[in-house]
Each structure stands twice: as structure tokens, then as C-alpha cells.
Amino acid sequence: MAHFVKPYDLLLCVFFLSSLESILATRREGEALVKWKNSLAPSSFLDSWSLTNLDNLCNWTGITCNSAGSVSEINLCEKQLDGMLSEFGFTSFPNLNNLTLAYNFFSGPIPPAIENLTQLQYLDLSMNSLNGPIPFQVSHLQSLLILNLSQNALQAPNWSHFSPMPVLRFLKLSRNPLVSKFPNFISNSPSLTYLNLSHNKFSGDLVRESVFTNLHHLEVLSLVGNSFEGSFPPDIFKLSKLKRLALSSNKFSGSIPNDIRLLCDLEYLYLGNNSFEGPLPPNIFKLSKLKHLVLWGNKFSGSVSNDIGLLSELETLNLHSNFFEGPLPPNVFKLSKLKFFALRENNFSGFISKDIGLLSQLESLYLGSNFFEGPLPPHIFRLSKLRDLDLSNNRNLFEGSIPIGLGLLTNLSFLDLSSSNLSGNIPSDLGNLKLL
């Protein structure tokens, strides 16, 4: 006589097996974490990680579980951990979507087995001492949204082995000794909104390589402190969503194209310490959202247009070490949000307008090494937030004595009046400047 299993009993059996598998999987995750812990230098931060505490896995330090009790996040940021990743059980965490090990003392290579974390969306290994080539298996993590490998000792791999990462939004490889041309997989990762390759040893002519064509969603681009060369890459003007562009400390040269106006959402423009030359393009003053304009250490020349007053959101204006000349444009004193104003080592001339007193938010003012002349306007001492004041170098032609009122600048912590033509006694209210 046949015996039939009741549907209820079958359902109960499936539930039991499923629960058993979940318990076993959780145990495997806990055992893998303990094994890795035992390979690291002893740390009190991981005292909760114990084989006798497996039932409490989801409450271990740095561990977050999903609704099924499986590890979904490992966040050990700033836990002073010291060791390697070689004993990390990359095959033991099928549901891990966040691995954050930043600000520790991890060393050694990134194991190729990292590709087994197929659900990973967030990987942050920054601020460690990891070394060796970045394994191309990292690019097999096709669910990855955020990848931060900055501030390690990683080396450049053969980038041609890397796969495009179509959903990657954030990529930070800064402050590694990466020596190579621009990584080609980046150009084929079209979802990127943030790209930071600063302070490495990347090189090449970005005009010839056309690396930015597909990166239409990019909002932040930082290539600071590399050896890129050639003229301003015209493909950058296709990045219409760009808010921050940092190309400082490279080997770029030539003029800035008038097409800069196409970056209409730009808030930060850092071009310092290159070999850009010529006058500023008129359309640069149409970037109405610009907050920081940093052009120091180039070969820019000519006068600064009065249209600079159109940059009403400007907080930083750094023209230090160029060849600008002529008087200061009157509208520069209408930049009411300006906090940092640096004109050192140029060929500016003429009088300093009393309207300088209108820059009420100013904290740093550097006018040294120019050809300014005439008396120093007392209105400068209305700048009550001023912390740094530089009027130095004998190329300045200031005349007369230091006006009484210097003591009103009670926040002043840096003052340089050396090698100027100022004369007379030092004002007695200088003693009010307790921060000097």
C-alpha cells in the first residue's frame, strides 16, 4: 500500500532543510572570519569574533547581516588592524555587498580571489599599506558601485586585462605609485560620476587618447599630481555635468579654450602648477557657479577682465605666480563671498582701491611681489576676518606709513610687510594682534 507524504509535512521538511542550510552557511561565515582574525596581529577590537560566539555573529564588531542572517557588510574602518588579506575567506561570503577595511595597517597584495565576492557593491581598502599590482580580478566585480584603493603602495597592472565596469560610479586610485598611461578600462565605465587618479605617476597626452568620450555622467575629475602633458583635453568639454575639475601639477600647456563655457555647472577649477599660457578666455567668466578658481604657477598673461565680477559665487581666487599685468579690475571688489585672494608674483600695478574693504568675508590676502603703488588704503583694516596679510617684497611701491587700524585685525595670524616702501613708526595697536 502506497504512502503519500502530506503537503504540510513536505513543506515542513523543506523549511527544516532550508533553516539548516542557513545555519550551516552562517557558521561557515563565522568560522572564516575567525580564521582571518587569527592571521592578524592581536586586537581587542575583534574580541567578539569567537567560535564560542557564533550564534551572535550578527552582533560581532563591524559585522552586519541581512534578513536571512548572512553577512552582508564587513566594516572595520579605523580599527588599527594589522595583517594581510591572504587568509580572508573570499569564497565564504556569498551575500557580502560592503567590504570596508580603510584606515588600518593591512599590507601585502590584494588576492585575485577577491573576484568571488560577486555581490559586492562597495569596496574600500584605502589608507593601508597594500602593495603589488592591482589584480585585474577586481574588475570582475560587476556589481561594484564604489571602489576606493587610494593611499596604498599599489602598482599599476596591465590595464588591458581589466574588464569595463559598467555600473561603477566612484573610483579613487589616488596616492599610489601607479606608473602607466591612462587606464583604458576607465574610458569604458560610463556610469562613473567620481574619478580621482591624483598623486600617481600617470602620463601621456590625453588629447590623442580621447579618454573622456564615454564618461558623460562625470561630476568630479581629479588628475592632480601626475605627468599628463599636451594641451587642454577638448573631450573634457563634453562632460556637461562636471562640477569639479582638478588638473593641477601636471605638464599641460597651451591656452585654455573658450569652450570652457560648456562646463556650465563647474564649481571648482584647479589648473595650478602647469604651463598654461596666454590671456584668460573671456568665457571663463561665464561659469556663474564657480566657487574656486585656482590658476597659480602657470604662464598666464595679460590683464584680468572686469567681467570677473560675474563670478558672484567665487570664494577662492588664486592667480599667484603668473604674468598678469595692469590694474586690478574694479569688479573684483564686488566678489562679496571671496575668502582667499592671492595675486603674489605677478605684474599687477596701480593703486589698491578703497573698495577692498567691501570684501568682508576675506580671510587671506596676498598682494606681494607686484608693482602696486600709492598709499595703503585704511579700508583694508575693515576686513575683520582676515588671518593672512602679505604686502611684502620691494617690487611693491606702497608709500607712506602703516595706517593706524592694524590692531583691528584681531584674527590676523600672518603678517608680512617686508621689503616694501612703507615707512614711519609701527602702530602701537599692533600689540592687539595676539595671534601673531
Side-chain angles (χ1 to χ4, degrees):
M1 182 177 180
H3 294 279
F4 295 96
V5 179
K6 297 179 179 178
Y8 175 80
D9 293 334
L10 183 60
L11 185 62
L12 192 62
C13 182
V14 170
F15 177 78
F16 174 79
L17 291 174
S18 176
S19 298
L20 180 62
E21 174 57 29
S22 178
I23 293 171
L24 292 175
T26 299
R27 185 176 184 87
R28 286 194 295 270
E29 292 177 336
E31 290 172 346
L33 289 172
V34 171
K35 179 182 178 183
W36 182 48
K37 168 195 169 180
N38 291 337
S39 74
L40 306 177
S43 171
S44 59
F45 286 107
L46 301 183
D47 284 348
S48 60
W49 290 26
S50 170
L51 293 179
T52 62
N53 194 27
L54 288 176
D55 292 340
N56 204 29
L57 171 65
C58 298
N59 291 317
W60 287 8
T61 299
I63 302 301
T64 301
C65 297
N66 61 19
S67 58
S70 180
V71 175
S72 59
E73 295 184 18
I74 301 175
N75 188 340
L76 299 174
C77 183
E78 291 190 271
K79 293 295 187 289
Q80 301 176 28
L81 301 177
D82 188 349
M84 302 177 70
L85 302 182
S86 54
E87 294 298 319
F88 187 93
F90 291 103
T91 60
S92 302
F93 303 98
N95 298 302
L96 192 66
N97 59 53
N98 183 335
L99 178 59
T100 299
L101 305 178
Y103 291 87
N104 285 290
F105 301 100
F106 291 113
S107 58
I110 300 173
I114 198 169
E115 68 179 348
N116 289 289
L117 301 177
T118 56
Q119 300 303 308
L120 207 61
Q121 295 181 328
Y122 189 111
L123 177 60
D124 188 351
L125 305 180
S126 63
M127 296 294 294
N128 282 288
S129 298
L130 298 170
N131 54 43
I134 301 171
F136 67 87
Q137 288 85 353
V138 167
S139 69
H140 294 172
L141 302 174
Q142 291 288 290
S143 297
L144 212 57
L145 301 175
I146 295 176
L147 175 58
N148 189 351
L149 303 179
S150 63
Q151 295 196 243
N152 280 285
L154 296 167
Q155 300 168 11
N158 183 341
W159 296 113
S160 65
H161 294 162
F162 273 61
S163 302
M165 303 182 74
V167 302
L168 190 66
R169 297 177 186 172
F170 180 106
L171 177 60
K172 190 172 185 180
L173 301 179
S174 59
R175 297 187 184 276
N176 283 285
L178 300 177
V179 182
S180 77
K181 301 294 186 182
F182 192 92
N184 53 352
F185 86 98
I186 293 178
S187 301
N188 296 310
S189 300
S191 297
L192 279 171
T193 62
Y194 179 102
L195 175 60
N196 189 339
L197 304 181
S198 62
H199 301 289
N200 280 286
K201 297 180 181 179
F202 290 110
S203 61
D205 187 334
L206 298 181
V207 174
R208 287 200 299 265
E209 296 177 24
S210 300
V211 297
F212 303 113
T213 303
N214 298 322
L215 304 182
H216 300 298
H217 297 285
L218 213 56
E219 296 179 7
V220 175
L221 173 61
S222 179
L223 305 179
V224 173
N226 284 285
S227 296
F228 292 116
E229 59 188 15
S231 58
F232 196 102
D235 280 355
I236 286 181
F237 300 131
K238 299 176 182 178
L239 308 179
S240 60
K241 297 182 180 180
L242 211 58
K243 295 180 179 179
R244 185 188 297 254
L245 175 60
L247 304 181
S248 298
S249 299
N250 279 279
K251 298 178 180 179
F252 292 113
S253 59
S255 60
I256 305 300
N258 225 12
D259 283 345
I260 192 82
R261 75 185 190 284
L262 298 175
L263 303 179
C264 55
D265 286 333
L266 207 61
E267 298 177 6
Y268 300 79
L269 180 58
Y270 299 101
L271 303 179
N273 197 23
N274 281 286
S275 295
F276 290 119
E277 60 186 3
L280 295 182
N283 282 344
I284 201 170
F285 304 114
K286 295 181 180 179
L287 300 176
S288 60
K289 297 181 181 180
L290 207 60
K291 295 180 180 180
H292 301 272
L293 179 58
V294 178
L295 305 177
W296 69 275
N298 281 284
K299 300 176 183 178
F300 291 114
S301 59
S303 60
V304 177
S305 169
N306 206 32
D307 286 343
I308 197 168
L310 299 173
L311 302 180
S312 58
E313 299 298 317
L314 211 60
E315 298 177 12
T316 297
L317 178 59
N318 189 345
L319 307 181
H320 170 61
S321 295
N322 280 284
F323 297 96
F324 291 112
E325 60 187 12
L328 295 183
N331 283 349
V332 76
F333 303 113
K334 294 181 180 180
L335 301 177
S336 60
K337 297 182 180 181
L338 205 61
K339 297 179 180 179
F340 186 97
F341 189 17
L343 304 179
R344 271 188 62 83
E345 297 181 25
N346 279 282
N347 297 317
F348 288 110
S349 59
F351 293 86
I352 301 297
S353 169
K354 65 180 182 179
D355 288 341
I356 197 168
L358 300 175
L359 302 179
S360 60
Q361 302 303 308
L362 206 60
E363 298 175 2
S364 299
L365 177 61
Y366 297 91
L367 300 179
S369 300
N370 281 285
F371 292 104
F372 294 118
E373 58 184 307
L376 188 64
H379 304 76
I380 202 169
F381 302 126
R382 296 178 182 176
L383 305 178
S384 60
K385 296 184 179 181
L386 209 59
R387 295 186 305 211
D388 304 306
L389 176 59
D390 177 13
L391 305 173
S392 65
N393 199 293
N394 57 21
R395 293 172 62 203
N396 278 309
L397 301 177
F398 288 124
E399 301 170 351
S401 60
I402 303 173
I404 296 175
L406 191 62
L408 298 174
L409 303 178
T410 54
N411 289 311
L412 210 61
S413 59
F414 174 83
L415 174 64
D416 191 349
L417 304 177
S418 63
S419 302
S420 64
N421 284 338
L422 293 168
S423 59
N425 296 324
I426 297 176
S428 59
D429 60 356
L430 190 67
N432 296 335
L433 305 180
K434 306 299 184 182
L435 300 178
L436 282 177

